[in-house]
């Protein structure tokens, strides 16, 4: 049964809410002995038993081809490689700068489609993208740690890698694995990568407080079972370029949850940034609706 484009957009939006909320849980987990690399490993490994069960229940007897499994593994390496690069960049530059550089990935996706497929977004869609990106860039807060070339390269590279992940995810829709089997393959490949990186860097630990474990488990399950499932399902409907733009809602939700749960301050700058992101998303959605009506 063919699902509507509106449902695909809603799935991407909901995934952005989930992805925007989980950094708050991860932050609370770090206070109890966790770290970024260890969190990425837990995010990959903890949901695997549930993903295997869901795979069996939703697509019993399905036999994946070698090419499908290979694509799933590559998607996992890209997704978790991006996560490791972004988390590692936090040690060199402020989180605000790192996150903003990462969120340039919608621009990379659109530019790829323009150069590779001669994709021609409408003027309204370009305007919406530009306003949303400008709103995200407005969140940058300069500081003493904001001038590390290596940290900047890591954060920017995480955006490039995530753009590649979205592009490949869109191509995977041509011969798709059942959703939970795809998620199982990506999580398994991500777990192997995180084990290697964490083992080499000495970042793996089980010495977390009970509260840190609770927050880590909640974040891992929400991202892998909720956010990733919604995002991957949404990309299969709306395509890589539009999914990348709509996911710009994520930094806005991070701000909102940070205000509510972590007691962060709300400034005029943040308010203007949120307004610009919402305006850009609205223009993009209107342009998309107009195109499909035509």
């Amino acid at each position: 049964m063919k699902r509507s484009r509106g449902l695909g957009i809603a799935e991407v939006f909901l995934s952005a809410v989930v992805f925007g909320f989980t950094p708050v849980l991860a932050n609370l987990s770090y206070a109890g002995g966790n770290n970024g690399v260890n969190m990425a490993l837990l995010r990959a490994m903890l949901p695997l038993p549930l993903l295997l069960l869901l795979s069996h229940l939703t697509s019993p007897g399905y036999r994946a081809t070698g090419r499908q499994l290979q694509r799933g593994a590559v998607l996992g390496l890209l997704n978790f490689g991006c996560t490791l690069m972004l988390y590692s960049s936090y040690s060199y530059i402020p989180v605000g700068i790192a996150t903003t550089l990462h969120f340039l990935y919608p621009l990379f996706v659109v530019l790829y489609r323009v150069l590779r497929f001669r994709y021609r977004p409408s003027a309204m869609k370009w305007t919406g993208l530009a306003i949303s990106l400008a709103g995200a860039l407005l969140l940058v807060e300069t500081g003493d740690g904001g001038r590390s070339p290596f940290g900047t390269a890591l954060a920017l590279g995480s955006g490039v890698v995530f753009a590649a992940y979205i592009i490949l995810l869109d191509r995977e829709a041509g011969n798709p694995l059942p959703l939970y089997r795809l998620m199982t393959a990506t999580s398994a490949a991500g777990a192997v990568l995180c084990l290697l990186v964490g083992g080499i860097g000495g970042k793996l630990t089980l010495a977390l407080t009970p509260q840190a474990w609770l927050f880590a488990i909640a974040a891992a399950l929400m991202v892998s079972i909720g956010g990733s499932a919604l995002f991957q399902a949404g990309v299969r409907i709306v395509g890589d370029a539009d999914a990348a733009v709509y996911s710009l809602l994520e930094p806005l939700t991070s701000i909102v949850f940070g205000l509510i749960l972590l007691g962060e301050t709300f400034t005029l700058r943040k308010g203007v940034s949120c307004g610009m992101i919402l305006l850009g998303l609205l223009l993009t959605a209107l342009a998309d609706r107009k195109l499909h009506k035509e």
Side-chain angles (χ1 to χ4, degrees), residues 87-126:
Y87 286 173
S88 299
S89 72
Y90 295 161
S91 300
Y92 300 93
I93 59 177
V95 172
I97 293 178
T99 304
T100 301
L101 290 171
H102 169 74
F103 272 97
L104 291 175
Y105 70 78
L107 180 61
F108 301 144
V109 174
V110 173
L111 290 177
Y112 168 80
R113 292 191 66 82
V114 168
L115 296 173
R116 178 69 175 81
F117 301 108
R118 297 185 179 180
Y119 171 61
R120 291 293 179 265
S122 66
M124 183 181 290
K125 183 167 284 191
W126 273 122

mmCIF file of all heavy atoms in Angstrom, residues 87-126:
data_model
loop_
_atom_site.group_PDB
_atom_site.id
_atom_site.type_symbol
_atom_site.label_atom_id
_atom_site.label_comp_id
_atom_site.label_asym_id
_atom_site.label_seq_id
_atom_site.Cartn_x
_atom_site.Cartn_y
_atom_site.Cartn_z
ATOM 1 N N TYR A 87 30.596 13.487 17.991
ATOM 2 C CA TYR A 87 30.880 13.410 19.431
ATOM 3 C C TYR A 87 32.341 13.753 19.725
ATOM 4 O O TYR A 87 32.643 14.416 20.719
ATOM 5 C CB TYR A 87 30.579 12.001 19.952
ATOM 6 C CG TYR A 87 29.110 11.668 20.085
ATOM 7 C CD1 TYR A 87 28.701 10.384 20.413
ATOM 8 C CD2 TYR A 87 28.120 12.629 19.870
ATOM 9 C CE1 TYR A 87 27.349 10.064 20.536
ATOM 10 C CE2 TYR A 87 26.787 12.322 19.978
ATOM 11 C CZ TYR A 87 26.402 11.039 20.319
ATOM 12 O OH TYR A 87 25.072 10.727 20.434
ATOM 13 N N SER A 88 33.254 13.304 18.854
ATOM 14 C CA SER A 88 34.676 13.580 19.069
ATOM 15 C C SER A 88 35.004 15.062 18.904
ATOM 16 O O SER A 88 35.903 15.591 19.566
ATOM 17 C CB SER A 88 35.526 12.751 18.098
ATOM 18 O OG SER A 88 35.336 11.373 18.302
ATOM 19 N N SER A 89 34.266 15.727 18.023
ATOM 20 C CA SER A 89 34.535 17.157 17.799
ATOM 21 C C SER A 89 34.253 17.994 19.033
ATOM 22 O O SER A 89 34.811 19.082 19.201
ATOM 23 C CB SER A 89 33.697 17.677 16.623
ATOM 24 O OG SER A 89 32.321 17.782 16.966
ATOM 25 N N TYR A 90 33.390 17.476 19.940
ATOM 26 C CA TYR A 90 33.044 18.233 21.146
ATOM 27 C C TYR A 90 34.253 18.449 22.056
ATOM 28 O O TYR A 90 34.244 19.335 22.907
ATOM 29 C CB TYR A 90 31.961 17.497 21.946
ATOM 30 C CG TYR A 90 30.621 17.381 21.249
ATOM 31 C CD1 TYR A 90 29.689 16.431 21.658
ATOM 32 C CD2 TYR A 90 30.286 18.199 20.175
ATOM 33 C CE1 TYR A 90 28.460 16.311 21.029
ATOM 34 C CE2 TYR A 90 29.062 18.081 19.533
ATOM 35 C CZ TYR A 90 28.152 17.138 19.972
ATOM 36 O OH TYR A 90 26.940 17.018 19.355
ATOM 37 N N SER A 91 35.301 17.618 21.881
ATOM 38 C CA SER A 91 36.511 17.764 22.706
ATOM 39 C C SER A 91 37.404 18.896 22.221
ATOM 40 O O SER A 91 38.344 19.287 22.919
ATOM 41 C CB SER A 91 37.315 16.452 22.693
ATOM 42 O OG SER A 91 36.545 15.382 23.209
ATOM 43 N N TYR A 92 37.114 19.439 21.035
ATOM 44 C CA TYR A 92 38.001 20.442 20.441
ATOM 45 C C TYR A 92 37.320 21.795 20.226
ATOM 46 O O TYR A 92 38.000 22.834 20.270
ATOM 47 C CB TYR A 92 38.523 19.944 19.087
ATOM 48 C CG TYR A 92 39.301 18.650 19.180
ATOM 49 C CD1 TYR A 92 38.676 17.426 18.997
ATOM 50 C CD2 TYR A 92 40.667 18.661 19.459
ATOM 51 C CE1 TYR A 92 39.384 16.237 19.084
ATOM 52 C CE2 TYR A 92 41.385 17.476 19.544
ATOM 53 C CZ TYR A 92 40.737 16.264 19.365
ATOM 54 O OH TYR A 92 41.447 15.094 19.458
ATOM 55 N N ILE A 93 36.026 21.795 19.975
ATOM 56 C CA ILE A 93 35.313 23.045 19.723
ATOM 57 C C ILE A 93 34.009 23.029 20.516
ATOM 58 O O ILE A 93 33.529 21.966 20.922
ATOM 59 C CB ILE A 93 35.006 23.241 18.218
ATOM 60 C CG1 ILE A 93 34.153 22.098 17.662
ATOM 61 C CG2 ILE A 93 36.292 23.395 17.424
ATOM 62 C CD1 ILE A 93 33.757 22.274 16.203
ATOM 63 N N PRO A 94 33.406 24.196 20.768
ATOM 64 C CA PRO A 94 32.155 24.248 21.508
ATOM 65 C C PRO A 94 31.062 23.430 20.828
ATOM 66 O O PRO A 94 31.009 23.326 19.597
ATOM 67 C CB PRO A 94 31.797 25.739 21.516
ATOM 68 C CG PRO A 94 33.108 26.439 21.355
ATOM 69 C CD PRO A 94 33.925 25.551 20.468
ATOM 70 N N VAL A 95 30.185 22.863 21.649
ATOM 71 C CA VAL A 95 29.113 22.011 21.135
ATOM 72 C C VAL A 95 28.231 22.771 20.148
ATOM 73 O O VAL A 95 27.798 22.226 19.128
ATOM 74 C CB VAL A 95 28.265 21.462 22.302
ATOM 75 C CG1 VAL A 95 27.036 20.728 21.779
ATOM 76 C CG2 VAL A 95 29.102 20.533 23.165
ATOM 77 N N GLY A 96 27.967 24.046 20.438
ATOM 78 C CA GLY A 96 27.111 24.843 19.550
ATOM 79 C C GLY A 96 27.688 24.967 18.154
ATOM 80 O O GLY A 96 26.966 24.837 17.160
ATOM 81 N N ILE A 97 28.988 25.217 18.069
ATOM 82 C CA ILE A 97 29.638 25.335 16.764
ATOM 83 C C ILE A 97 29.648 23.986 16.055
ATOM 84 O O ILE A 97 29.350 23.888 14.859
ATOM 85 C CB ILE A 97 31.079 25.867 16.928
ATOM 86 C CG1 ILE A 97 31.045 27.307 17.435
ATOM 87 C CG2 ILE A 97 31.840 25.786 15.611
ATOM 88 C CD1 ILE A 97 32.410 27.907 17.677
ATOM 89 N N ALA A 98 29.981 22.925 16.804
ATOM 90 C CA ALA A 98 30.032 21.593 16.204
ATOM 91 C C ALA A 98 28.669 21.187 15.647
ATOM 92 O O ALA A 98 28.565 20.698 14.512
ATOM 93 C CB ALA A 98 30.490 20.575 17.248
ATOM 94 N N THR A 99 27.628 21.412 16.431
ATOM 95 C CA THR A 99 26.288 21.029 15.988
ATOM 96 C C THR A 99 25.861 21.817 14.758
ATOM 97 O O THR A 99 25.253 21.279 13.827
ATOM 98 C CB THR A 99 25.273 21.249 17.127
ATOM 99 O OG1 THR A 99 25.701 20.509 18.276
ATOM 100 C CG2 THR A 99 23.878 20.784 16.728
ATOM 101 N N THR A 100 26.188 23.089 14.740
ATOM 102 C CA THR A 100 25.811 23.923 13.602
ATOM 103 C C THR A 100 26.535 23.497 12.335
ATOM 104 O O THR A 100 25.931 23.414 11.258
ATOM 105 C CB THR A 100 26.112 25.396 13.902
ATOM 106 O OG1 THR A 100 25.394 25.788 15.068
ATOM 107 C CG2 THR A 100 25.702 26.287 12.739
ATOM 108 N N LEU A 101 27.832 23.201 12.443
ATOM 109 C CA LEU A 101 28.571 22.723 11.270
ATOM 110 C C LEU A 101 27.996 21.396 10.781
ATOM 111 O O LEU A 101 27.886 21.164 9.572
ATOM 112 C CB LEU A 101 30.051 22.573 11.616
ATOM 113 C CG LEU A 101 30.822 23.878 11.849
ATOM 114 C CD1 LEU A 101 32.222 23.585 12.392
ATOM 115 C CD2 LEU A 101 30.903 24.693 10.570
ATOM 116 N N HIS A 102 27.618 20.540 11.711
ATOM 117 C CA HIS A 102 27.008 19.265 11.319
ATOM 118 C C HIS A 102 25.711 19.497 10.550
ATOM 119 O O HIS A 102 25.429 18.799 9.569
ATOM 120 C CB HIS A 102 26.728 18.432 12.571
ATOM 121 C CG HIS A 102 25.876 17.224 12.321
ATOM 122 N ND1 HIS A 102 26.349 16.098 11.688
ATOM 123 C CD2 HIS A 102 24.562 16.981 12.589
ATOM 124 C CE1 HIS A 102 25.370 15.208 11.592
ATOM 125 N NE2 HIS A 102 24.275 15.723 12.123
ATOM 126 N N PHE A 103 24.935 20.511 10.967
ATOM 127 C CA PHE A 103 23.630 20.728 10.351
ATOM 128 C C PHE A 103 23.705 21.489 9.026
ATOM 129 O O PHE A 103 22.676 21.949 8.521
ATOM 130 C CB PHE A 103 22.685 21.429 11.329
ATOM 131 C CG PHE A 103 21.944 20.459 12.201
ATOM 132 C CD1 PHE A 103 22.405 20.168 13.468
ATOM 133 C CD2 PHE A 103 20.840 19.800 11.722
ATOM 134 C CE1 PHE A 103 21.753 19.261 14.260
ATOM 135 C CE2 PHE A 103 20.168 18.881 12.502
ATOM 136 C CZ PHE A 103 20.624 18.612 13.782
ATOM 137 N N LEU A 104 24.894 21.549 8.459
ATOM 138 C CA LEU A 104 24.997 21.990 7.072
ATOM 139 C C LEU A 104 24.696 20.846 6.106
ATOM 140 O O LEU A 104 24.655 21.048 4.892
ATOM 141 C CB LEU A 104 26.415 22.524 6.797
ATOM 142 C CG LEU A 104 26.774 23.845 7.484
ATOM 143 C CD1 LEU A 104 28.237 24.190 7.215
ATOM 144 C CD2 LEU A 104 25.878 24.976 7.002
ATOM 145 N N TYR A 105 24.445 19.639 6.639
ATOM 146 C CA TYR A 105 24.259 18.486 5.754
ATOM 147 C C TYR A 105 23.083 18.620 4.780
ATOM 148 O O TYR A 105 23.167 18.096 3.662
ATOM 149 C CB TYR A 105 24.155 17.186 6.552
ATOM 150 C CG TYR A 105 22.911 16.994 7.374
ATOM 151 C CD1 TYR A 105 21.709 16.602 6.797
ATOM 152 C CD2 TYR A 105 22.940 17.147 8.756
ATOM 153 C CE1 TYR A 105 20.574 16.396 7.561
ATOM 154 C CE2 TYR A 105 21.813 16.946 9.526
ATOM 155 C CZ TYR A 105 20.632 16.581 8.924
ATOM 156 O OH TYR A 105 19.509 16.385 9.688
ATOM 157 N N PRO A 106 21.985 19.323 5.107
ATOM 158 C CA PRO A 106 20.947 19.472 4.079
ATOM 159 C C PRO A 106 21.461 20.174 2.822
ATOM 160 O O PRO A 106 21.065 19.834 1.706
ATOM 161 C CB PRO A 106 19.861 20.301 4.778
ATOM 162 C CG PRO A 106 20.068 20.042 6.222
ATOM 163 C CD PRO A 106 21.533 19.902 6.386
ATOM 164 N N LEU A 107 22.356 21.140 3.013
ATOM 165 C CA LEU A 107 22.939 21.841 1.872
ATOM 166 C C LEU A 107 23.768 20.877 1.024
ATOM 167 O O LEU A 107 23.707 20.901 -0.213
ATOM 168 C CB LEU A 107 23.806 23.002 2.356
ATOM 169 C CG LEU A 107 24.494 23.835 1.273
ATOM 170 C CD1 LEU A 107 23.455 24.482 0.357
ATOM 171 C CD2 LEU A 107 25.384 24.899 1.900
ATOM 172 N N PHE A 108 24.529 19.990 1.680
ATOM 173 C CA PHE A 108 25.347 19.028 0.944
ATOM 174 C C PHE A 108 24.470 18.073 0.130
ATOM 175 O O PHE A 108 24.804 17.712 -1.003
ATOM 176 C CB PHE A 108 26.224 18.215 1.914
ATOM 177 C CG PHE A 108 27.164 19.047 2.739
ATOM 178 C CD1 PHE A 108 27.460 18.705 4.055
ATOM 179 C CD2 PHE A 108 27.751 20.182 2.205
ATOM 180 C CE1 PHE A 108 28.325 19.470 4.811
ATOM 181 C CE2 PHE A 108 28.616 20.960 2.960
ATOM 182 C CZ PHE A 108 28.907 20.604 4.269
ATOM 183 N N VAL A 109 23.347 17.653 0.707
ATOM 184 C CA VAL A 109 22.444 16.739 0.000
ATOM 185 C C VAL A 109 21.851 17.416 -1.230
ATOM 186 O O VAL A 109 21.819 16.849 -2.330
ATOM 187 C CB VAL A 109 21.320 16.241 0.929
ATOM 188 C CG1 VAL A 109 20.312 15.400 0.141
ATOM 189 C CG2 VAL A 109 21.894 15.418 2.072
ATOM 190 N N VAL A 110 21.371 18.648 -1.045
ATOM 191 C CA VAL A 110 20.769 19.379 -2.170
ATOM 192 C C VAL A 110 21.803 19.636 -3.256
ATOM 193 O O VAL A 110 21.540 19.455 -4.449
ATOM 194 C CB VAL A 110 20.140 20.699 -1.685
ATOM 195 C CG1 VAL A 110 19.675 21.545 -2.876
ATOM 196 C CG2 VAL A 110 18.957 20.420 -0.761
ATOM 197 N N LEU A 111 23.011 20.053 -2.863
ATOM 198 C CA LEU A 111 24.064 20.311 -3.845
ATOM 199 C C LEU A 111 24.437 19.038 -4.604
ATOM 200 O O LEU A 111 24.705 19.080 -5.809
ATOM 201 C CB LEU A 111 25.299 20.898 -3.156
ATOM 202 C CG LEU A 111 25.159 22.325 -2.634
ATOM 203 C CD1 LEU A 111 26.430 22.761 -1.918
ATOM 204 C CD2 LEU A 111 24.849 23.288 -3.776
ATOM 205 N N TYR A 112 24.463 17.904 -3.920
ATOM 206 C CA TYR A 112 24.751 16.636 -4.583
ATOM 207 C C TYR A 112 23.719 16.362 -5.668
ATOM 208 O O TYR A 112 24.055 15.979 -6.789
ATOM 209 C CB TYR A 112 24.762 15.500 -3.563
ATOM 210 C CG TYR A 112 24.764 14.121 -4.205
ATOM 211 C CD1 TYR A 112 25.940 13.573 -4.703
ATOM 212 C CD2 TYR A 112 23.583 13.383 -4.317
ATOM 213 C CE1 TYR A 112 25.939 12.320 -5.305
ATOM 214 C CE2 TYR A 112 23.577 12.135 -4.920
ATOM 215 C CZ TYR A 112 24.754 11.603 -5.400
ATOM 216 O OH TYR A 112 24.746 10.375 -5.997
ATOM 217 N N ARG A 113 22.447 16.564 -5.333
ATOM 218 C CA ARG A 113 21.396 16.298 -6.311
ATOM 219 C C ARG A 113 21.454 17.286 -7.475
ATOM 220 O O ARG A 113 21.159 16.935 -8.613
ATOM 221 C CB ARG A 113 20.026 16.335 -5.636
ATOM 222 C CG ARG A 113 19.820 15.197 -4.665
ATOM 223 C CD ARG A 113 18.382 15.082 -4.213
ATOM 224 N NE ARG A 113 17.508 14.709 -5.319
ATOM 225 C CZ ARG A 113 17.329 13.482 -5.746
ATOM 226 N NH1 ARG A 113 17.966 12.481 -5.171
ATOM 227 N NH2 ARG A 113 16.499 13.226 -6.750
ATOM 228 N N VAL A 114 21.820 18.528 -7.187
ATOM 229 C CA VAL A 114 21.949 19.525 -8.248
ATOM 230 C C VAL A 114 23.065 19.139 -9.212
ATOM 231 O O VAL A 114 22.910 19.200 -10.444
ATOM 232 C CB VAL A 114 22.212 20.926 -7.647
ATOM 233 C CG1 VAL A 114 22.627 21.911 -8.734
ATOM 234 C CG2 VAL A 114 20.966 21.441 -6.926
ATOM 235 N N LEU A 115 24.211 18.720 -8.660
ATOM 236 C CA LEU A 115 25.364 18.402 -9.491
ATOM 237 C C LEU A 115 25.235 17.037 -10.171
ATOM 238 O O LEU A 115 25.641 16.875 -11.323
ATOM 239 C CB LEU A 115 26.641 18.427 -8.641
ATOM 240 C CG LEU A 115 27.013 19.790 -8.035
ATOM 241 C CD1 LEU A 115 28.193 19.648 -7.082
ATOM 242 C CD2 LEU A 115 27.342 20.780 -9.135
ATOM 243 N N ARG A 116 24.651 16.074 -9.454
ATOM 244 C CA ARG A 116 24.607 14.695 -9.979
ATOM 245 C C ARG A 116 23.404 14.457 -10.883
ATOM 246 O O ARG A 116 23.509 13.786 -11.902
ATOM 247 C CB ARG A 116 24.569 13.720 -8.788
ATOM 248 C CG ARG A 116 24.474 12.242 -9.176
ATOM 249 C CD ARG A 116 25.773 11.769 -9.822
ATOM 250 N NE ARG A 116 25.714 10.331 -10.074
ATOM 251 C CZ ARG A 116 25.120 9.757 -11.115
ATOM 252 N NH1 ARG A 116 24.516 10.513 -12.027
ATOM 253 N NH2 ARG A 116 25.120 8.454 -11.262
ATOM 254 N N PHE A 117 22.262 14.999 -10.514
ATOM 255 C CA PHE A 117 21.035 14.697 -11.248
ATOM 256 C C PHE A 117 20.385 15.922 -11.888
ATOM 257 O O PHE A 117 19.266 15.845 -12.374
ATOM 258 C CB PHE A 117 20.015 14.027 -10.312
ATOM 259 C CG PHE A 117 20.503 12.749 -9.709
ATOM 260 C CD1 PHE A 117 20.832 12.690 -8.363
ATOM 261 C CD2 PHE A 117 20.657 11.614 -10.475
ATOM 262 C CE1 PHE A 117 21.285 11.515 -7.792
ATOM 263 C CE2 PHE A 117 21.113 10.437 -9.914
ATOM 264 C CZ PHE A 117 21.437 10.381 -8.572
ATOM 265 N N ARG A 118 21.096 17.066 -11.839
ATOM 266 C CA ARG A 118 20.549 18.319 -12.371
ATOM 267 C C ARG A 118 19.196 18.668 -11.745
ATOM 268 O O ARG A 118 18.280 19.151 -12.398
ATOM 269 C CB ARG A 118 20.413 18.234 -13.894
ATOM 270 C CG ARG A 118 21.753 18.054 -14.583
ATOM 271 C CD ARG A 118 21.632 18.100 -16.097
ATOM 272 N NE ARG A 118 22.940 17.948 -16.726
ATOM 273 C CZ ARG A 118 23.131 17.953 -18.031
ATOM 274 N NH1 ARG A 118 22.096 18.099 -18.857
ATOM 275 N NH2 ARG A 118 24.338 17.820 -18.533
ATOM 276 N N TYR A 119 19.116 18.370 -10.447
ATOM 277 C CA TYR A 119 17.925 18.713 -9.664
ATOM 278 C C TYR A 119 17.806 20.229 -9.596
ATOM 279 O O TYR A 119 18.778 20.927 -9.336
ATOM 280 C CB TYR A 119 18.079 18.101 -8.269
ATOM 281 C CG TYR A 119 17.071 18.507 -7.230
ATOM 282 C CD1 TYR A 119 15.719 18.241 -7.389
ATOM 283 C CD2 TYR A 119 17.484 19.117 -6.039
ATOM 284 C CE1 TYR A 119 14.801 18.584 -6.413
ATOM 285 C CE2 TYR A 119 16.572 19.457 -5.061
ATOM 286 C CZ TYR A 119 15.234 19.187 -5.252
ATOM 287 O OH TYR A 119 14.330 19.535 -4.281
ATOM 288 N N ARG A 120 16.612 20.758 -9.834
ATOM 289 C CA ARG A 120 16.413 22.201 -9.853
ATOM 290 C C ARG A 120 15.316 22.605 -8.865
ATOM 291 O O ARG A 120 14.134 22.662 -9.217
ATOM 292 C CB ARG A 120 16.025 22.658 -11.274
ATOM 293 C CG ARG A 120 17.163 22.527 -12.296
ATOM 294 C CD ARG A 120 18.297 23.484 -11.977
ATOM 295 N NE ARG A 120 19.412 23.352 -12.923
ATOM 296 C CZ ARG A 120 20.478 22.606 -12.725
ATOM 297 N NH1 ARG A 120 20.580 21.899 -11.614
ATOM 298 N NH2 ARG A 120 21.443 22.548 -13.626
ATOM 299 N N PRO A 121 15.697 22.869 -7.611
ATOM 300 C CA PRO A 121 14.695 23.324 -6.647
ATOM 301 C C PRO A 121 14.119 24.676 -7.071
ATOM 302 O O PRO A 121 14.784 25.474 -7.736
ATOM 303 C CB PRO A 121 15.490 23.465 -5.341
ATOM 304 C CG PRO A 121 16.754 22.703 -5.560
ATOM 305 C CD PRO A 121 17.035 22.782 -7.022
ATOM 306 N N SER A 122 12.879 24.930 -6.661
ATOM 307 C CA SER A 122 12.256 26.212 -6.976
ATOM 308 C C SER A 122 12.912 27.316 -6.154
ATOM 309 O O SER A 122 13.618 27.058 -5.173
ATOM 310 C CB SER A 122 10.759 26.161 -6.659
ATOM 311 O OG SER A 122 10.562 26.023 -5.262
ATOM 312 N N ALA A 123 12.671 28.558 -6.571
ATOM 313 C CA ALA A 123 13.224 29.705 -5.847
ATOM 314 C C ALA A 123 12.733 29.721 -4.412
ATOM 315 O O ALA A 123 13.487 30.053 -3.478
ATOM 316 C CB ALA A 123 12.836 30.998 -6.560
ATOM 317 N N MET A 124 11.453 29.347 -4.196
ATOM 318 C CA MET A 124 10.906 29.334 -2.836
ATOM 319 C C MET A 124 11.608 28.289 -1.971
ATOM 320 O O MET A 124 11.900 28.519 -0.797
ATOM 321 C CB MET A 124 9.401 29.063 -2.870
ATOM 322 C CG MET A 124 8.744 29.113 -1.493
ATOM 323 S SD MET A 124 6.970 28.749 -1.529
ATOM 324 C CE MET A 124 6.359 30.219 -2.353
ATOM 325 N N LYS A 125 11.926 27.120 -2.576
ATOM 326 C CA LYS A 125 12.604 26.085 -1.802
ATOM 327 C C LYS A 125 14.038 26.492 -1.466
ATOM 328 O O LYS A 125 14.505 26.263 -0.343
ATOM 329 C CB LYS A 125 12.590 24.761 -2.576
ATOM 330 C CG LYS A 125 13.220 23.613 -1.799
ATOM 331 C CD LYS A 125 12.919 22.264 -2.428
ATOM 332 C CE LYS A 125 11.505 21.833 -2.123
ATOM 333 N NZ LYS A 125 11.255 20.421 -2.501
ATOM 334 N N TRP A 126 14.742 27.112 -2.421
ATOM 335 C CA TRP A 126 16.081 27.628 -2.136
ATOM 336 C C TRP A 126 16.024 28.655 -1.005
ATOM 337 O O TRP A 126 16.872 28.664 -0.109
ATOM 338 C CB TRP A 126 16.687 28.273 -3.376
ATOM 339 C CG TRP A 126 17.420 27.337 -4.299
ATOM 340 C CD1 TRP A 126 17.154 27.118 -5.616
ATOM 341 C CD2 TRP A 126 18.559 26.515 -3.997
ATOM 342 N NE1 TRP A 126 18.043 26.210 -6.153
ATOM 343 C CE2 TRP A 126 18.918 25.826 -5.180
ATOM 344 C CE3 TRP A 126 19.299 26.292 -2.836
ATOM 345 C CZ2 TRP A 126 19.980 24.931 -5.230
ATOM 346 C CZ3 TRP A 126 20.362 25.393 -2.880
ATOM 347 C CH2 TRP A 126 20.688 24.731 -4.065
#
